[in-house]
Amino acid sequence: MKLSGAEAGRFLAAPSPAAPGFLIYGTDPMRVAIKRSEAIQAIIGPQGEAEMRLTRLPAADLRRDGALLTDAIKATGFFPGPRLVFVEEAGDGLAPLILQALAGWKPGDAQVLVTAGQLAAKSALRKLFEAHPSAPCIAIYDDPPGQAEIEAQLKKAGLREISPGAMRDLMALGRALDPGDFRQTLEKIGLFKWGDQSPLASEEVAACAPATVEAEVDDVLHAAAEGRMSDVATLMRRLEAQGIAPVTLAIRTLQHFRALHAAATDPGGAASGMAKLRPPVFGPRRDRMLRQVQNFRPERLEEALAAITDTDLTLRSSTKAPTMALVERLLLRLSALARAR
């Protein structure tokens, strides 16, 4: 019984009690672990493990004693409620044992959840579940979460109203982050919006998104790209006092102006180009960078990129140059280009 897409998502969100067991497999252990955790919670609830209704059986233990699986399935629990036997990191060598256990399964027995890594099409374990009439086989691919999946996770956190801009940012964030980090971000958003019934806004997504850059560095880059020459020197003194390396600042400057150039030269317009950036740019920072694009003609941005590259090469090749002064001069030059238009 092979499930995929939305059908697989619905089953994992609420596994059928009539299913004797199911297999979850995939190349990414984190994605498999997240889906496994969701399925376990759906079957036994938040107190199931504390009530000893979950039995964990490592594959290594089953290889030593195959009777453990059948015994766990048939065991009577101390607490009422559905029971689950979890077989972790199974391989093809356990297929005959699992097949025998599923064949002897009866309503009221514990369900069996089996997880595995990547399985080839000829895998005995995969074929077992695909051929079974009521035990699903679910492959977890490395695809980013879709809108329906994000909405479902936010709904669990109590969020039902999501603005279009916030959903766009969340989908971009889902493509940029690994599954574990993205899930933590959604949980953080849920806590951030606790008791707030207003729709989730793009600015709130930006506030909860993982910080990928230092705010102080952003400040000086924004000042340069907005032509605020008087602020550049003040912000540079602050960065220097904090020990920011000149080469690091040059690299970040190059990244920032490459992003502006990509947005300015995108055939679909600046907004389209900004939406394609990786890592994604969110909320107020995205709007600010879009305004910065308007300060430059494409040829000005190309001139800016050439100046940044030259400074970076000088920083890397010279041991005597006043490195922070070179970066400050560069940022002042970029600020002048923003004002020249």
Side-chain angles (χ1 to χ4, degrees):
M1 184 180 182
K2 187 176 180 180
L3 298 182
S4 60
E7 193 177 12
R10 286 192 295 269
F11 178 88
L12 292 173
S16 170
F22 53 102
L23 168 68
I24 304 175
Y25 73 93
T27 57
D28 188 335
M30 178 58 72
R31 295 178 191 271
V32 171
I34 289 174
K35 296 302 181 182
R36 173 199 76 201
S37 177
E38 291 176 358
I40 290 175
Q41 289 293 312
I43 293 173
I44 65 173
Q47 300 300 319
E49 189 163 8
E51 295 175 352
M52 296 179 289
R53 291 188 284 112
L54 174 65
T55 302
R56 298 177 183 271
L57 292 179
D61 291 351
L62 282 184
R63 285 192 289 269
R64 288 192 295 267
D65 185 357
L68 289 174
L69 181 56
T70 300
D71 291 346
I73 292 173
K74 299 295 183 180
T76 302
F78 291 103
F79 295 88
R83 294 178 298 111
L84 181 67
V85 179
F86 169 36
V87 180
E88 188 173 10
E89 297 183 354
D92 287 344
L94 293 179
L97 177 63
I98 294 172
L99 178 61
Q100 181 182 0
L102 294 179
W105 187 89
K106 296 180 180 179
D109 290 345
Q111 290 179 283
V112 181
L113 164 58
V114 181
T115 62
Q118 179 61 25
L119 298 175
K122 296 181 180 179
S123 163
L125 188 62
R126 179 174 165 181
K127 284 185 174 181
L128 183 166
F129 281 91
E130 288 180 345
H132 199 285
S134 56
C137 175
I138 300 172
I140 305 299
Y141 300 104
D142 294 344
D143 300 328
Q147 181 171 338
E149 185 176 352
I150 293 173
E151 288 176 343
Q153 292 188 54
L154 289 176
K155 186 176 180 181
K156 289 181 182 178
L159 280 172
R160 298 180 181 274
E161 297 294 330
I162 309 168
S163 72
M167 179 54 68
R168 181 179 62 248
D169 289 345
L170 286 171
M171 293 185 69
L173 194 60
R175 292 190 294 270
L177 297 178
D178 66 57
D181 288 343
F182 183 63
R183 187 180 188 183
Q184 289 180 351
T185 300
L186 293 182
E187 291 173 354
K188 183 178 179 181
I189 290 173
L191 291 172
F192 184 82
K193 290 287 287 181
W194 182 263
D196 184 352
Q197 300 302 316
S198 63
L200 178 66
S202 183
E203 292 78 7
E204 292 168 322
V205 173
C208 296
T212 57
V213 294
E214 299 85 354
E216 295 84 357
V217 175
D218 270 351
D219 287 343
V220 74
L221 295 180
H222 288 318
E226 292 164 2
R228 293 186 285 111
M229 300 180 69
S230 60
D231 293 336
V232 169
T234 302
L235 293 168
M236 284 296 294
R237 298 290 82 75
R238 188 184 306 170
L239 290 175
E240 190 171 12
Q242 292 176 1
I244 302 296
V247 172
T248 300
L249 187 53
I251 292 172
R252 287 291 321 288
T253 304
L254 183 60
Q255 292 171 343
H256 188 90
F257 277 81
R258 275 180 176 169
L260 296 182
H261 183 264
T265 57
D266 189 273
S272 174
M274 196 66 66
K276 298 174 184 176
L277 294 178
R278 297 294 176 270
V281 182
F282 301 103
R285 183 167 180 259
R286 177 193 57 215
D287 296 339
R288 191 170 186 177
M289 290 179 69
L290 282 173
R291 290 194 296 270
Q292 291 169 11
V293 171
Q294 300 173 4
N295 292 337
F296 295 91
R297 298 193 302 273
E299 57 270 23
R300 291 287 189 189
L301 284 169
E302 291 169 5
E303 184 179 345
L305 290 175
I308 297 168
T309 301
D310 289 343
T311 301
D312 185 48
L313 290 173
T314 302
L315 291 172
R316 294 173 187 271
S317 61
S318 175
T319 58
K320 297 182 179 180
T323 53
M324 209 59 167
L326 285 175
V327 176
E328 182 173 347
R329 186 175 69 179
L330 168 67
L331 292 172
L332 289 171
R333 180 179 177 183
L334 298 177
S335 181
L337 287 175
R339 299 175 69 172
R341 306 205 181 185

